[in-house]
Amino acid sequence: MKIILLLAVLNFSQIFSQDNLPKISLKNNFGKSIAISEIDTKTVTVFSFWATWCIPCLNELDAISEIYDDWQNETNVKIIAVSIDDTRSASRVKPLANSKNWEYEILFDTNQEFKRAVNATSIPYLIIVKNNKIVYSHSGYTQGSEIELYEKIKEFAYKN
Amino acid sequence: MKRLPILFILPFSMALSAQEFSFSGNFTSFSQYYVDDKKTGDFTEKDRFRSNNYLKLNSEIDKFSFGLQIEGYAPQAILNYSPSFDEQIGVATYFANYKNEKLDITAGYFYEQFGNGLIFRSWEDQQLGLNNALRGGKIKYAPFQYLQFIGLYGKHRVGFDVSEGEVYGFDTEFNISEALKIEKSTLNFGFSIVNRSQEIENAAEGFNKNTFAYSGRLNYSKNNFYSNVEYVIKDKDALLEFGSVNTNSLSKGNALLYNAGYSYRRFGLNATFRRLENMTYYSDREVNDNIDNEQLVNYLPSLTKQHDYSLANIYVYQTQSRVTFNPFEKAGEIGYQLDAYYQFEKETFLGGKYGTNLAINYASLYGLDAEFNRENRTFDAEFLSLGRKYFTDFNVEMRKKWSKQWTSIFTYINLFYNKKYLEERSGKVNAQIAIIDATYQFLPTKSVRFEAQHLWTNDDRENWLAGTAEFNFSSKFSLFANDSYNYGNEINKIHYFTFGGSYTKNSTRFSLNYGRQRGGLICIGGVCRVVPESTGFGLNLSTSF
């Protein structure tokens, strides 16, 4: 019985699967509550899940930071860095991000509500969002994968 | 379990009439096959092959969402997971939620955190095998953007069952600056109450089954400065000793957390002070300080910096919040940590062509300075006085990009670890660690990464040497090999090695490895557990849809 239900669900997913941004609110680095589903995603928006203790995450955000201006000029892409640091390290987020001179908006997902809602299992993890729909997701980072990410960003930037 | 079909059919019947329907989920699997090892001995337990599997399914229709998580530990959970998971398969958690602009109601299993988590946090970490979701109900009500109330009730999940203790919680947060439309600064105020209720058989007369905890917090930030403070009082609760609850020995607890920082372009400073006195808080009093970290009501991570490299994770601090009289007298901890970040600008002498990032961190932790009355099992702790030194960690990290191809990270750590008091074994450890991590990118998405680490100490198991090589053939496929060699002592020189590979496509990741795992205290993500050495094959798979 359980298996049949499961298969039924998986079948339905083929027809309906179209993920919206979850209706949750997170604090930004100024302590203001931001409703995720109300963020303007008419242009391509990338949510990158990271933590201060995750070395590949820092490598990825550093690498993008260097070419972010070019990306923005060409595609108007917006990158939002979602920190999943819990109370152990959340206080390090703001000074670390500022010291690196990142231009990303930062959100605090301290109890990993957003991460859970997008079904991410480990970080680095990113989702590309356009018009409030999650159109692509990717797990992990190795040196240079930002090039492939940018191909995806361009693909969705020029698509309506 | 019987609720499953209703939870499932409901979304579909609703979907027929609904405009917005979405479905998503993920699947994660960790499997191990344990082998005999000539050096560390044969695998003597039941079931060489063990597997942990998690399937999460969520659906959303307009303002409603439904979810469940099916977990399977077959034939039993991999080593070092809580025995409550063994040989089980079934629905582990489920929920139904309704959410509109002001109201958010959940029935079933849920996660939540009040303030910094000092009195309440329920959370999940599959990789660590931790899930202390509450089963019950939660209502969040936000009449205005700047005001929120949360009320909740539930019992902690324990394996596929729930705790006998009950948890009640209330939290409110008021954003004063938003209410008064002050633009230039932020001021938030929060207040929470939590109660844990559990009947104790044969308790002393007048013993209260309820233990309340109260917390107040304040956040303030202006321009580049920010600070927050939280203070907690926990009512009298029984002492747990030798595995039994002593209802004749009652003590109060309290906690103070203060954090402040200043940051500006290319510069950041952060300081945290925390004092914990008798702050262990479990759903079931009898599991106080259990090694599987189950039924925790609050969250007290160690304040120290979380390191990523293997040798930096041998001597890791564990929060000391529990009161004990035996074998050592302990009442809690007091300590602080400082962080400084600086970026040397591009095109300067120290910045070079690409800039240089420097991070310095120092943490120092002590026991509370307290008088103990062994006979009555009571204690009296000084407020701002340092007791016995437990741990210090001074570390410097420099990240530098040398050219388009070369990037590197240099780390130096100097630590003191009071093994006697932290592990309740003999000894103290003074150690220094140096790490070089270098990546060479020879084609846009092809790179190699090398890590060299050394740990110097004359104490405990003495010197270690470690190395890693990682080949990233594309953004999808990589291979790695690493080895940590404990060569310093004469009695037992040993290699702990792993090699393997991983394949990633979009949000699907598959990895395979073979290796010998170090035993002892293993800490990942601030959670520590004691594990035996083991050797074997590992296979991990995760995907989301």
Side-chain angles (χ1 to χ4, degrees), chain A residues 23 27 59 86 98 148, chain B residues 99 173 263 299 399 475:
Chain A
K23 292 185 198 82
K27 292 234 167 79
N59 291 345
D86 63 28
N98 266 338
E148 286 168 13
Chain B
K99 196 181 278 183
E173 189 157 300
S263 75
Y299 181 64
R399 294 170 75 95
S475 61

Side-chain angles (χ1 to χ4, degrees), chain A residues 72-94:
Chain A
Q72 283 193 306
N73 288 336
E74 285 174 36
T75 61
N76 280 323
V77 65
K78 182 167 66 187
I79 292 173
I80 298 176
V82 183
S83 149
I84 65 150
D85 285 271
D86 63 28
T87 39
R88 177 176 189 186
S89 49
S91 61
R92 294 194 171 98
V93 170
K94 200 172 171 176

Side-chain angles (χ1 to χ4, degrees), chain B residues 151-174:
Chain B
L152 60 83
Y153 164 78
K155 289 180 172 187
H156 269 127
R157 176 185 170 193
V158 186
F160 288 82
D161 207 345
V162 288
S163 169
E164 64 173 68
E166 296 169 297
V167 178
Y168 301 80
F170 169 79
D171 181 74
T172 179
E173 189 157 300
F174 180 43

